[in-house]
Amino acid sequence: MKKLKMIHKIFIGLVSGILIGALLYPFKENPIVSKYILGFIFQLLGQGFLRLIKMIIVPLVFVSLVNGTAAMNDVKKLGSIGIKAVLFFMGTTALGIVCAIFGANIFNPGKGILIENLEQTKFVAKEAGSFVDVLLNIIPKNPFKALVEGNMLQVIFFAIMVGIVLTIIGEKGNRIKNIFEEANELMLKMVEIIMKLAPLGIFGLIGKTFITLGWSAMKPLAAFIGVTYVILIFHALVTYQILLRTIAKESPINFFKNILGSITLAFSTASSAACIPLNLKVLKEKFNVSEKVCAFTIPLGATINMDGTAIMQGVATVFIAQLYNINLTTNDYFIVVLTAVLASIGTAGVPGVGTIMLSMVIVQVGLPLEGIGLIMAVDRIVDMGRTAVNVTGDLVCSLIVDRVEKIKELKN
């Protein structure tokens, strides 16, 4: 087992959970099955893994966001390059998740199956507050209370404020920046350790799902993967290419022909960070992008450009809401978009963190976190596609910023 890659271990956990859960489905009323297998083994593994995820959400988001925002001192140095890159990343992330929400509501991947049999506390629909209240509630009255209670929008707002101030005070804040950088390494290592337990967690979560629902649980899994990939492909082939063609005047065919290696690497590793060296090489050698542009946009994109992750979060949120027959309000969707866009600033470009960010979005709109079990079961399959989209976005942004800056220089 030690020689197996994580993807293989997760696949084993997934298949084992499906098979054992489906085989025991006819005997779910048996006292031994219900008490010891469902109530102890599956419950302990699945819920234990979810608790670990809950444990890491707040500190991970806070630390990584402070780091991501504090690193914006490069924006001051690079001026318009940094501003254009940040606006591009945030804008396309927002476009991606809006497309995901619309697409998921059109295809309805979560409809057709009941989750009522799962042990869940009853969901009570909350009254929709006004739009102004939603905006005001982003600002914490007490940031420490927000951290303790896990109010993620307020945590995100406070973290960004800390990062901005660290940038403003410059060298005086270097000692604090170093502390946050070390804390970020600590959080990422903790995430790595937690994700090593993912096969067992997935085994427990998917096993409990199948022992409760049987093979009927496969329908929403297939639907979720299909809808997510449809929207990911649409974003890569339509949204990005319209921007690339109209602004950078670049041929989409030539573009994809030259970035095929980067997309393949992103798809196989599910890591934006792992693609940074190859992306820099491709941009310089194939597209003649200047060093000052790609040296900034590619590392920045690996940190804050999470279009694919945002798309997954949008589809997953609608998917889980439909599974539990919960109607999300317009304000809920606004919170999903805003949370995903802001959280993308601090989402590290390593496998697994996107799922933790998804749990943050789900909790923020009051959906049952247990619904993430189905998403986790197929997360790696989706993760490969969304990472490929993220990396494609990094390359598109670099090309657009470079071409716009060169036109600007010619005019001057």
Side-chain angles (χ1 to χ4, degrees), residues 263-341:
I263 294 177
T264 304
L265 181 63
F267 189 82
S268 59
T269 62
S271 172
S272 299
C275 301
I276 290 176
L278 180 58
N279 288 346
L280 291 171
K281 182 179 179 182
V282 168
L283 287 171
K284 293 175 188 175
E285 296 181 0
K286 303 293 184 180
F287 297 102
N288 195 31
V289 174
S290 64
E291 174 76 27
K292 68 176 182 178
V293 171
C294 62
F296 174 71
T297 55
I298 292 300
L300 180 67
T303 303
I304 74 170
N305 180 34
M306 294 291 154
D307 292 12
T309 303
I311 288 170
M312 181 275 290
Q313 291 171 350
V315 176
T317 302
V318 176
F319 172 71
I320 292 171
Q322 290 176 348
L323 283 178
Y324 287 89
N325 198 27
I326 297 168
N327 292 320
L328 296 176
T329 66
T330 303
N331 281 344
D332 288 329
Y333 286 129
F334 172 76
I335 289 173
V336 170
V337 174
L338 190 60
T339 304
V341 172

Side-chain angles (χ1 to χ4, degrees), residues 47-250:
Q47 293 303 313
F49 181 64
L50 285 180
R51 281 178 175 265
L52 287 172
I53 288 179
K54 286 181 179 179
M55 176 188 73
I56 197 69
I57 289 175
V58 173
L60 173 66
V61 170
F62 180 70
V63 171
S64 60
L65 266 174
V66 171
N67 269 313
T69 311
M72 293 300 164
N73 59 346
D74 288 330
V75 176
K76 291 172 63 179
K77 296 177 183 177
L78 293 174
S80 62
I81 293 176
I83 293 171
K84 289 183 181 70
V86 171
L87 289 176
F88 177 92
F89 291 142
M90 304 297 276
T92 53
T93 297
L95 272 174
I97 194 167
V98 168
C99 287
I101 290 171
F102 274 106
N105 277 292
I106 290 171
F107 292 109
N108 297 318
K111 288 191 175 180
I113 183 170
L114 297 176
I115 305 295
E116 296 170 354
N117 293 329
L118 291 181
E119 298 171 9
Q120 299 292 339
T121 55
K122 290 184 179 179
F123 180 85
V124 180
K126 51 190 181 295
E127 292 184 10
S130 67
F131 182 72
V132 173
D133 289 337
V134 172
L135 293 177
L136 288 175
N137 285 333
I138 297 173
I139 306 172
K141 294 179 181 177
N142 185 339
F144 297 103
K145 183 180 179 182
L147 288 165
V148 171
E149 294 180 350
N151 190 321
M152 294 315 304
L153 279 178
Q154 294 185 0
V155 170
I156 289 171
F157 182 88
F158 181 60
I160 291 174
M161 285 292 294
V162 172
I164 290 172
V165 174
L166 281 174
T167 301
I168 292 172
I169 62 178
E171 293 183 2
K172 294 179 181 178
N174 284 343
R175 191 174 299 176
I176 299 176
K177 284 184 183 179
N178 292 336
I179 292 173
F180 273 104
E181 287 174 3
E182 292 172 4
N184 193 49
E185 291 297 320
L186 173 65
M187 290 297 106
L188 292 179
K189 177 55 69 172
M190 196 173 292
V191 169
E192 183 182 325
I193 293 170
I194 291 173
M195 294 311 296
K196 285 182 179 179
L197 299 174
L200 291 175
I202 289 171
F203 172 74
L205 291 166
I206 202 68
K208 181 179 177 181
T209 300
F210 272 80
I211 206 172
T212 306
L213 302 172
W215 286 103
S216 61
M218 281 306 295
K219 182 180 178 181
L221 283 176
F224 170 73
I225 295 171
V227 171
T228 303
Y229 265 89
V230 165
I231 299 170
L232 286 171
I233 292 170
F234 174 85
H235 196 62
L237 296 183
V238 179
T239 306
Y240 283 152
Q241 300 317 308
I242 289 174
L243 293 171
L244 189 66
R245 185 66 180 173
T246 55
I247 301 175
K249 311 298 182 185
E250 188 71 37

Side-chain angles (χ1 to χ4, degrees), residues 372-391:
I372 205 173
L374 286 171
I375 308 299
M376 280 296 301
V378 294
D379 180 64
R380 180 68 184 192
I381 298 172
V382 177
D383 195 8
M384 294 187 292
R386 69 186 188 227
T387 304
V389 170
N390 291 341
V391 169

